[in-house]
Amino acid sequence: MGAGRRVLITTAITVVCAVTVLAAPGIAFASPAPTPSSTPSATASPTPVTNKDLEAVREKLDALYHDAAVATDAYNAAEEKSQKQSAEIVELAKKIVKGQEKLDELKDRAGAAARSQYRTGGIPDEAQLLLSDNPQAFLDGTGRVLQGQRATKGLIAELTRTQQDLKQYTADASAQWQQLEKNRQAKATAKKKVTTQIAAAEKLESRLEKQEKERLAKLEQQAALKAQTAWLDSGALKDTGGKASAAGKAAVAYATAQLGKAYEWGAEGPSTYDCSGLTSQAWASAGDPIPRTSQEQWKQLPHVAEKDMRPGDLIIYFADASHVAMYIGDGAIIHAPRPGRTVTVAGAGSMPILGVVRPDA
């Protein structure tokens, strides 16, 4: 393993912490003072990495991947908004084109009406009646003129409305473009944070030897099992047993078919997923589209008590709703955990539960 392994791991955690803090916006630091270098003795015995050291690594990795999940949710939200705004801009552009065509047509009609009125408006009605060879025809014509005048007024009113609509469409399109640019910037900021946090986590893990990684995996399993056991002992499943709806069964079937596929932040299938990409696509396949992100799923979907949950319901985790999984019954979930992992089955209580939502309530 080499001398100073424990010191190396501790240093790695410190470096990753520094990288994480430096990645936060609006914080500046002075250059650190140089530290004296030291060369380990060739005869120095290896210092074993203790479980306490690995536990510190595990906690730091959890924090890094949690922050990456939060940033991923922000990225997904900005992406969803950008797609919606792009679609709205396209529709507004179509309305502007149609509005301009209608405006041109109305202007032509208004011009024709004005020219016609000019041609017939030079002689007073009384003179036209006296000079007419057919008084009845004149009277009939007068009625048509009055109708034409009313139609002209209606035409002018429609012309005015069309001009106002066109002006509003243009203003709406401009506002959407501005918002689209803001969301593009939000996406770029979130993407940078995601990649920074994941890179820091991967760097920390790369410092570990194979045996240490195996021990770290066992510690993660033990922590998850401890949390699951505490959740079960709390009686959370005592009164559960609700049957899945038809849509819930379809969503569970979709999620089950994705087992083993890799996690990828920002992905929503078909070959890779992030946590909310998996749940949103599962419910979309069941015929009930839901919000793209775990935070919006928590905000918008109906909440149900843990004791009432049934297969197909979504469990939202952590106080900031940064993770989501699908409940499949018997205290288990299917979820896309984090980078480096695959879609898997886990204990529903293995992470801190914020609450439960039901897409088809």
Side-chain angles (χ1 to χ4, degrees):
M1 187 179 299
R5 291 287 298 131
R6 182 175 180 183
V7 174
L8 183 60
I9 297 300
T10 304
T11 303
I13 295 174
T14 304
V15 169
V16 170
C17 289
V19 169
T20 304
V21 173
L22 286 170
I27 302 177
F29 293 89
S31 299
T35 55
S37 59
S38 60
T39 304
S41 169
T43 59
S45 59
T47 302
V49 177
T50 66
N51 278 359
K52 183 178 180 181
D53 298 325
L54 288 176
E55 183 62 25
V57 172
R58 185 188 72 78
E59 291 176 356
K60 187 57 194 173
L61 286 173
D62 284 348
L64 287 168
Y65 282 124
H66 173 265
D67 288 348
V70 174
T72 297
D73 226 36
Y75 176 90
N76 290 337
E79 172 69 11
E80 186 177 36
K81 288 178 181 177
S82 294
Q83 291 176 352
K84 182 179 179 182
Q85 283 154 359
S86 295
E88 289 177 353
I89 288 171
V90 170
E91 290 303 312
L92 284 168
K94 291 178 181 179
K95 288 181 178 180
I96 289 172
V97 171
K98 289 181 179 180
Q100 189 61 58
E101 290 174 349
K102 183 178 180 181
L103 186 62
D104 292 342
E105 178 191 354
L106 289 171
K107 285 181 177 179
D108 288 343
R109 288 168 56 190
R115 288 191 295 272
S116 175
Q117 191 172 26
Y118 175 78
R119 286 194 300 269
T120 60
I123 303 175
D125 290 345
E126 295 84 351
Q128 290 190 48
L129 176 60
L130 291 173
L131 294 172
S132 175
D133 294 332
N134 188 338
Q136 185 59 48
F138 169 77
L139 292 174
D140 291 341
T142 301
R144 286 193 294 272
V145 169
L146 292 174
Q147 291 176 352
Q149 289 175 342
R150 286 194 294 268
T152 300
K153 290 181 180 179
L155 182 63
I156 293 173
E158 187 175 5
L159 184 65
T160 302
R161 285 196 303 271
T162 302
Q163 288 175 323
Q164 291 173 343
D165 288 344
L166 197 56
K167 184 178 180 180
Q168 186 62 51
Y169 295 153
T170 304
D172 290 345
S174 177
Q176 289 292 351
W177 272 114
Q178 292 176 3
Q179 192 59 46
L180 180 61
E181 183 57 31
K182 286 182 181 179
N183 281 314
R184 284 174 177 165
Q185 293 174 1
K187 277 174 57 180
T189 300
K191 180 178 180 179
K192 183 178 180 181
K193 185 169 184 180
V194 173
T195 54
T196 298
Q197 299 300 96
I198 292 175
E202 290 174 345
K203 183 176 181 179
L204 180 55
E205 288 181 297
S206 72
R207 298 280 186 174
L208 302 175
E209 299 289 352
K210 180 181 178 181
Q211 290 182 345
E212 291 165 352
K213 290 179 180 178
E214 292 172 352
R215 286 167 57 198
L216 178 62
K218 288 182 180 179
L219 286 175
E220 291 175 346
Q221 293 171 359
Q222 289 171 2
L225 179 60
K226 181 179 179 181
Q228 174 75 353
T229 301
W231 180 68
L232 293 173
D233 289 346
S234 71
L237 289 183
K238 183 178 180 181
D239 298 321
T240 60
K243 295 182 179 180
S245 63
K249 289 179 181 178
V252 169
Y254 181 95
T256 302
Q258 313 315 309
L259 287 171
K261 293 185 178 180
Y263 177 101
E264 181 182 4
W265 70 270
E268 46 189 334
S271 57
T272 58
Y273 295 88
D274 62 21
C275 67
S276 57
L278 176 64
T279 54
S280 61
Q281 288 301 305
W283 272 99
S285 73
D288 282 291
I290 62 175
R292 169 66 176 89
T293 68
S294 58
Q295 292 178 346
E296 288 304 311
Q297 289 171 9
W298 174 244
K299 288 179 183 177
Q300 297 185 34
L301 299 179
H303 293 199
V304 296
E306 280 184 48
K307 66 181 182 63
D308 296 326
M309 65 183 176
R310 65 191 189 194
D313 288 348
L314 305 181
I315 302 180
I316 310 296
Y317 292 95
F318 304 106
D320 54 9
S322 58
H323 190 69
V324 60
M326 179 173 292
Y327 184 64
I328 58 174
D330 296 325
I333 56 170
I334 289 178
H335 71 144
R338 64 169 175 80
R341 303 292 171 83
T342 61
V343 176
T344 188
V345 176
S350 58
M351 297 169 285
I353 295 176
L354 176 62
V356 182
V357 295
R358 179 166 296 163
D360 63 338

